């Protein structure tokens, strides 16, 4: 990538900043791939739990456990953590 293309793509105003941003974006892309993999793993584990709970006569969702998860994410990440946890819980519900 030429210096001009790198600065245009990143919005940086110098070649050094453009390269730094490009490298950091590659790291973010790698982290995102790992996060997606972990979410998929979480979904699979959640399905196992739901299947066991239903097979034993219980309900698919355990609301008290979901509240614990919401609190954990809120404590670690603040208010946006609650929204993130809600999205994770939604992804993990009803996959059976």
């Amino acid at each position: 990538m030429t210096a001009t293309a790198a600065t245009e793509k990143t919005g940086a105003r110098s070649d050094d900043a453009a390269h730094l941003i490009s490298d950091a974006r590659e790291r973010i892309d790698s982290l995102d791939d790992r996060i997606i993999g972990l979410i998929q793993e979480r979904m699979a584990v959640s399905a196992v739990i739901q299947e066991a709970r239903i097979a034993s006569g219980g309900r698919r969702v355990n609301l008290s456990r979901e509240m614990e998860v919401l609190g954990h994410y809120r404590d670690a990440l603040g208010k946006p953590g609650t929204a993130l946890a809600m999205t994770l819980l939604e992804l993990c519900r009803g996959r059976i």
Side-chain angles (χ1 to χ4, degrees):
M1 180 180 314
T2 66
T4 303
T7 55
E8 287 176 10
K9 185 174 180 180
T10 63
R13 301 207 177 203
S14 73
D15 293 341
D16 288 342
H19 291 297
L20 177 74
I21 291 167
S22 293
D23 291 346
R25 284 182 177 171
E26 285 181 26
R27 181 146 188 248
I28 285 175
D29 290 343
S30 175
L31 289 167
D32 285 343
D33 288 342
R34 289 171 47 201
I35 291 167
I36 290 167
L38 289 170
I39 291 169
Q40 290 169 332
E41 183 178 349
R42 189 189 195 288
M43 291 167 65
V45 172
S46 181
V48 169
I49 292 168
Q50 290 175 49
E51 288 171 4
R53 191 180 300 121
I54 291 168
S56 73
R59 300 181 62 180
R60 179 176 53 85
V61 175
N62 181 335
L63 295 178
S64 63
R65 173 61 181 154
E66 288 195 357
M67 294 305 293
E68 288 176 19
V69 171
L70 290 170
H72 180 69
Y73 275 76
R74 182 190 61 246
D75 293 346
L77 303 171
K79 187 177 177 182
T82 304
L84 177 60
M86 286 297 297
T87 300
L88 284 171
L89 292 170
E90 182 180 348
L91 283 168
C92 293
R93 284 187 200 126
R95 297 289 179 182
I96 354 182

